[in-house]
Amino acid sequence: MRTMHGRRPGLLLAIAVCGFGAFVGCSEPAEPVTAEAYLDALEAICVGTTAELPALPAPPEQISVTDFATRAAELLDGEADRVDRLDVPDDGALRADPRAFARNTEEPADAWRTIADGGGGSADLVASADLVRQLVLGRNDLAEEIGAPACRRDG
C-alpha cells in the first residue's frame, strides 16, 4: 500500500521507532543521589514541618484536641510521604537506613490519629500523648544517627 507521497506507512513508523530508540539510548543515565543531597532534601522537609507544627492553634483554648490531633497527624503524614518520595543514596552512603526514618515519622502520625479518634477518655489521652513524646525521642535519635540534626523535634 502506498500513500499519496509514494511511501509506505509501515516504513515511516519503523524509521520513527528506530530514531526514538537511538535518542533514548543516547541519553545519559541519571546520576545517583549523594548522601549530602539526600540529607539536604530531608532536612528541608523536616524544617518545613517543624515550622508548621507549633503554628497550629493551641488546644483546648484555640482548637479542640481532636482537631489539633487530626491536623498534627496530617502534617506528619505529609512529611512521611515527601520523605518516602526522596531518591535514596546507594546502600552504605548514610549512617542509618533512611526508610526507617520515614516509618518513624509515620508512627507519631498514627499516635495523633488515635488521640483524634477519642480513644477511651482522659487516661487514654495521657497515654497517647506520652507515646507521641516517646516516638519523637526515638525519631530524634534516628535523625542524629542518619546525620540530619535539623530533623530533631521537641518532645
Side-chain angles (χ1 to χ4, degrees), residues 62-149:
Q62 299 171 337
I63 190 173
S64 72
V65 171
T66 298
D67 289 343
F68 177 87
T70 299
R71 186 66 186 123
E74 290 169 353
L75 288 172
L76 293 173
D77 280 337
E79 179 180 77
D81 288 343
R82 289 187 302 278
V83 170
D84 275 339
R85 287 194 304 265
L86 289 177
D87 289 332
V88 178
D90 292 334
D91 288 340
L94 298 170
R95 295 181 287 194
D97 181 2
R99 291 169 293 272
F101 188 83
R103 284 190 305 274
N104 199 285
T105 300
E106 292 166 354
E107 291 171 349
D110 292 341
W112 280 117
R113 251 187 303 288
T114 298
I115 292 170
D117 292 343
S122 62
D124 284 343
L125 177 61
V126 170
S128 294
D130 285 343
L131 176 59
V132 169
R133 279 189 286 282
Q134 291 171 5
L135 291 169
V136 168
L137 291 174
R139 183 181 183 281
N140 287 347
D141 290 344
L142 189 54
E144 287 294 328
E145 186 178 336
I146 203 169

